[in-house]
Amino acid sequence: MQDVFDKLYERSSNNATKGIDLYGIITSRENLLLAYRNIKTNTGSKTKGCDGITIDDYKIKDEDEFIMEMTNELSDYTPQMVRRIFIEKDNGKLRPLGIPTMRDRLIQQAFKQVLEPICEAKFYEHSYGFRPNRTTHHALARCQYLINKSKMYHVVDIDVAGFFDHVNHLKLLKQLYTIGVKDRRVLTIIRKMLKAEIEGEGVPTRGTPQGGYCRHYFQT
């Protein structure tokens, strides 16, 4: 898939993503199997969603059965209920997390893999949060460079309380389209992901999923 991802990055850089069959790439055998392999190596793959299933339940399926199941689910996709859990923050308050079912995590990962190179081509060069091949060390190195070369000695620390919990879904989808995600089938499924029912809370009207594989992607 790397050649495909590289071409998506190049076309996005040249503002030439219109007409690309993103849905076809997402549902391709190679991309779906890559999503499975990536999730299998993640420690979160052992965490159960509302259906009680982990990645181990998919190991018993052969490749053809797995591909057929995923493509059938996406042909008329409806996200399953998101499990709600709370973790304690450093200040003693609780942070709500949403744990999608394993099926939905596999689908989210398949989407993330294809959308990421399109968006990476448009993101600001010196943005370091939740991006591939970037760490806090890169951000610190950039700060050190600005201190040494540009004589900048002040840092502004801003944290908008609950920002991602209040993201406007419509504006987010419009921004994705502007960036280069123009396949309407893909945007429709992303909209459904954003509207996935949360255990004990119902269907969200705003905010991005917290805990799923698309969470960091939406944050960026």
Side-chain angles (χ1 to χ4, degrees):
M1 290 299 297
Q2 191 57 55
D3 287 343
V4 175
F5 297 154
D6 289 344
K7 289 177 182 177
L8 287 173
Y9 183 95
E10 180 181 358
R11 291 191 61 170
S12 181
S13 298
N14 297 321
N15 299 316
T17 57
K18 187 176 181 179
I20 298 178
D21 182 11
L22 293 180
Y23 181 83
I25 298 173
I26 289 169
T27 57
S28 68
R29 183 186 188 89
E30 293 79 9
N31 188 58
L32 291 173
L33 290 176
L34 178 61
Y36 170 79
R37 291 195 297 270
N38 282 332
I39 287 186
K40 187 174 66 173
T41 59
N42 191 297
T43 55
S45 65
K46 302 295 184 180
T47 304
K48 297 178 181 180
C50 284
D51 59 355
I53 290 177
T54 70
I55 196 65
D56 291 336
D57 294 273
Y58 283 87
K59 291 179 180 179
I60 63 174
K61 303 176 187 290
D62 62 35
E63 289 186 0
D64 292 334
E65 181 184 1
F66 172 74
I67 298 301
M68 182 176 295
E69 180 178 334
M70 290 295 104
T71 52
N72 286 343
E73 293 286 356
L74 280 167
S75 65
D76 186 22
Y77 180 65
T78 299
Q80 296 169 328
M81 185 179 292
V82 176
R83 178 185 166 204
R84 172 63 84 210
I85 64 172
F86 294 88
I87 60 173
E88 188 172 355
K89 298 194 291 186
D90 292 338
N91 60 9
K93 294 183 179 181
L94 296 178
R95 181 190 303 278
L97 291 182
I99 309 299
T101 62
M102 185 52 60
R103 184 209 70 169
D104 285 345
R105 275 179 270 177
L106 286 163
I107 289 173
Q108 288 181 16
Q109 178 65 29
F111 270 68
K112 175 181 179 293
Q113 291 166 179
V114 174
L115 300 184
E116 195 166 63
I118 295 174
C119 296
E120 276 293 315
K122 298 295 180 65
F123 286 159
Y124 178 56
E125 180 182 0
H126 297 299
S127 171
Y128 299 96
F130 308 109
R131 295 179 65 182
N133 303 316
R134 291 171 184 248
T135 68
T136 52
H137 297 291
H138 294 101
L140 287 171
R142 176 64 178 170
C143 289
Q144 193 65 52
Y145 172 84
L146 292 173
I147 290 171
N148 294 335
K149 297 294 184 179
S150 303
K151 308 303 180 183
M152 297 181 180
Y153 302 116
H154 296 85
V155 174
V156 179
D157 182 15
I158 300 175
D159 182 16
V160 181
F163 176 80
F164 295 109
D165 296 325
H166 297 84
V167 169
N168 183 293
H169 291 172
L170 182 59
K171 289 183 178 180
L172 175 59
L173 291 168
K174 285 183 176 179
Q175 186 62 27
L176 283 171
Y177 185 87
T178 301
I179 286 175
V181 182
K182 300 187 182 297
D183 190 322
R184 295 194 180 276
R185 292 170 299 178
V186 171
L187 291 171
T188 296
I189 293 176
I190 293 175
R191 179 181 60 80
K192 291 182 177 181
M193 290 178 181
L194 292 168
K195 298 293 185 183
E197 182 179 0
I198 299 174
E199 180 183 25
E201 299 178 18
V203 177
T205 59
R206 58 187 178 181
T208 59
Q210 301 179 68
Y213 284 84
C214 280
R215 167 63 170 175
H216 289 172
Y217 169 73
F218 288 137
Q219 282 184 328
T220 308

